[in-house]
Amino acid sequence: MKTASLEKAVEDLFQAEKNVRTLPQFATEFPDFDEDKAYDVQELLIDKKCREEETGISGWKLGLTSKAKQQMMGVHEPSYGVLLKNMSLDEGQTHSIDRFIHGKLEPELAFIFKEDIQGPHITAAQIIQSTAYVLPAFEVIDSRFEAFKFTLLDAVADNSSSCRYILGNQMLPPDAVDMSLTGIVFRKNGEVMATSTLAAVMGNPASAIAWMANKIAKRGQFIKKGQVVLSGAITQAVHIEPGDHFSAAFDGFGTINVNFKAGE
Ligand code: OOG
Ligand code: MG
């Protein structure tokens, strides 16, 4: 893939999000696309969004952390993306879906870091030691690709389908939480959509973040003090429609809520 095509991929993704429209998958359009190039596109896209939307980086997100999703994509490791300050939405409020192409919601455990943590030899135990607190969160994922269908490389270029994130306000120190057995119940309009435990995220969400800290070190990057990291979906993602109310009850934390509407 030539530099010109990397730039075109960045521009296409940026415009698709801005104009709320979809794109054909890249992998078919750019035959020599590989993982490094996909993360190059992601990095350039984040630079462009920071500039044009006058925002900054607030943290990171994991994707494809469950075995089921990895098998679906034919991969053995997760993916990551970058969170921006302007992706944050308030908990308990009603938010417009007008800027989403085909948004879906998923519950996640968020980690807030109290110190910098740099790979490539980070363990899950070190992730826990460097975490100030953990809290329930929702992620709104959205894909800039048609019909929410993509290859792993497409999704990486598309910042791992990131769109918005919503942090709860029930914080706990990480050593107060059982990182595998903590149960969650995810509801849409009062109906149970899924039940799960944190073990759904690679056995332990801290392991997913350790993988990411080591992976981003290859690109000279690290998790910084104060940053938020979404550790990956605990259940399947559920399509968002106007008028929807979602809740996720996290054992030992409490319940996080959000509503969506059409219009501003
Ligand atoms: C969609 C985003 C995945 C998660 O938590 O698993 C994600 C994708 O890249 O498949 O955010
Ligand atoms: Mg997610």
Side-chain angles (χ1 to χ4, degrees):
M1 202 165 166
K2 296 182 213 76
T3 314
S5 0
L6 284 185
E7 275 154 15
K8 182 176 185 301
V10 172
E11 186 62 25
D12 286 354
L13 286 165
F14 182 82
Q15 292 300 337
E17 181 173 1
K18 190 170 169 187
N19 299 304
V20 196
R21 57 163 202 244
T22 55
L23 290 175
Q25 294 181 30
F26 289 150
T28 44
E29 217 171 301
F30 304 119
D32 59 342
F33 210 35
D34 61 19
E35 188 186 278
D36 281 338
K37 286 172 193 143
Y39 279 109
D40 286 344
V41 171
Q42 180 188 115
E43 214 170 288
L44 291 166
L45 177 64
I46 292 300
D47 288 348
K48 184 175 173 76
K49 283 171 69 80
C50 284
R51 267 194 326 272
E52 304 228 356
E53 299 170 9
E54 297 181 358
T55 190
I57 292 172
S58 55
W60 305 86
K61 61 157 285 183
L62 276 293
L64 304 178
T65 47
S66 73
K67 278 275 165 296
K69 270 207 180 173
Q70 288 179 14
Q71 275 164 3
M72 209 174 89
M73 295 301 240
V75 294
H76 306 285
E77 54 171 30
S79 61
Y80 66 83
V82 176
L83 298 177
L84 299 176
K85 291 181 180 143
N86 68 356
M87 293 177 183
S88 169
L89 297 179
D90 289 337
E91 200 254 311
Q93 304 295 312
T94 303
H95 299 287
S96 173
I97 64 163
D98 289 9
R99 308 296 315 158
F100 309 162
I101 301 168
H102 32 208
K104 297 182 190 182
L105 197 75
E106 54 192 27
E108 305 208 10
L109 189 69
F111 290 58
I112 309 286
F113 281 79
K114 64 182 177 193
E115 56 196 26
D116 293 355
I117 184 155
Q118 179 136 30
H121 301 296
I122 298 300
T123 62
Q126 286 171 298
I127 291 297
I128 302 232
Q129 274 162 22
S130 302
T131 296
Y133 48 88
V134 290
L135 69 172
F138 280 129
E139 180 176 25
V140 176
I141 52 168
D142 202 3
S143 174
R144 271 52 71 173
F145 296 106
E146 281 160 10
F148 229 109
K149 290 222 161 53
F150 41 74
T151 64
L152 173 69
L153 299 181
D154 290 322
V156 164
D158 190 22
N159 196 26
S160 285
S161 312
S162 69
C163 177
R164 300 286 187 275
Y165 67 95
I166 299 146
L167 297 180
N169 45 36
Q170 309 95 339
M171 303 167 197
L172 287 176
D175 54 7
V177 180
D178 184 323
M179 286 288 168
S180 59
L181 283 179
T182 294
I184 92 135
V185 182
F186 180 35
R187 288 186 174 86
K188 167 168 159 161
N189 304 326
E191 189 188 334
V192 175
M193 294 286 108
T195 61
S196 187
T197 75
L198 292 182
V201 183
M202 288 176 77
N204 176 337
S207 302
I209 301 184
W211 170 85
M212 193 195 80
N214 296 330
K215 183 85 174 175
I216 63 179
K218 295 190 184 121
R219 298 182 69 91
Q221 295 181 331
F222 59 95
I223 302 170
K224 297 195 178 78
K225 178 182 175 179
Q227 285 187 332
V228 52
V229 181
L230 296 182
S231 54
I234 307 165
T235 69
Q236 80 263 28
V238 173
H239 187 64
I240 303 171
E241 282 150 307
D244 279 346
H245 167 250
F246 291 91
S247 72
F250 282 64
D251 192 17
F253 288 90
T255 302
I256 173 173
N257 294 282
V258 69
N259 307 299
F260 294 96
K261 63 175 181 185
E264 283 313 316

